[in-house]
Amino acid sequence: MKNYFGTKVKIVSKSKEKGKIVIEYMSNEELIELIKEYPARKAEYMEELYNQNRGIIYKIAKRFEGQAESEDLMQEAYIILDKTVTAYDTSLDFK
């Protein structure tokens, strides 16, 4: 099985404003660390985390399509992802 939390993606800031952080090739763990370090930018980093894991989220949500609509399942997945990020302890070394 592929380790989805180790997947690297390219994320580039859309703005070149002063003070913007440009991120390239961040793992999920690195994004979670940024979410915890810069809470004011949580929405931006959560969007990137969600987008880079959208494939696996969709795959899991598809199993429950008969019980709810796909859009509702994807929203529920985002809520669960947010709760997981909040509970994630970056000091533990899980690989």
Side-chain angles (χ1 to χ4, degrees):
M1 185 171 157
K2 185 175 179 182
N3 179 359
Y4 289 95
F5 271 85
T7 303
K8 300 279 186 174
V9 293
K10 184 176 183 180
I11 305 164
V12 180
S13 177
K14 297 172 187 161
S15 175
K16 293 183 179 181
E17 295 174 36
K18 186 175 183 178
K20 281 276 189 177
I21 298 173
V22 176
I23 306 164
E24 292 187 7
Y25 300 106
M26 299 294 289
S27 69
N28 290 341
E29 291 88 353
E30 291 167 327
L31 275 171
I32 291 170
E33 287 176 12
L34 286 174
I35 289 167
K36 291 184 179 279
E37 191 174 336
Y38 302 102
R41 300 187 63 188
K42 181 179 180 179
E44 179 183 339
Y45 295 133
M46 280 297 296
E47 181 181 356
E48 295 298 339
L49 185 63
Y50 178 81
N51 286 336
Q52 81 182 40
N53 290 286
R54 190 178 211 141
I56 189 70
I57 291 170
Y58 179 76
K59 216 179 222 185
I60 293 168
K62 193 166 174 77
R63 296 181 195 169
F64 301 96
E65 265 186 337
Q67 299 170 7
E69 291 189 28
S70 292
E71 187 175 315
D72 293 337
L73 292 169
M74 295 298 279
Q75 285 178 336
E76 188 66 30
Y78 184 87
I79 292 167
I80 293 168
L81 181 64
D82 185 57
K83 289 179 182 180
T84 303
V85 166
T86 302
Y88 186 80
D89 186 355
T90 56
S91 67
L92 301 174
D93 190 24
F94 287 110
K95 296 287 176 185

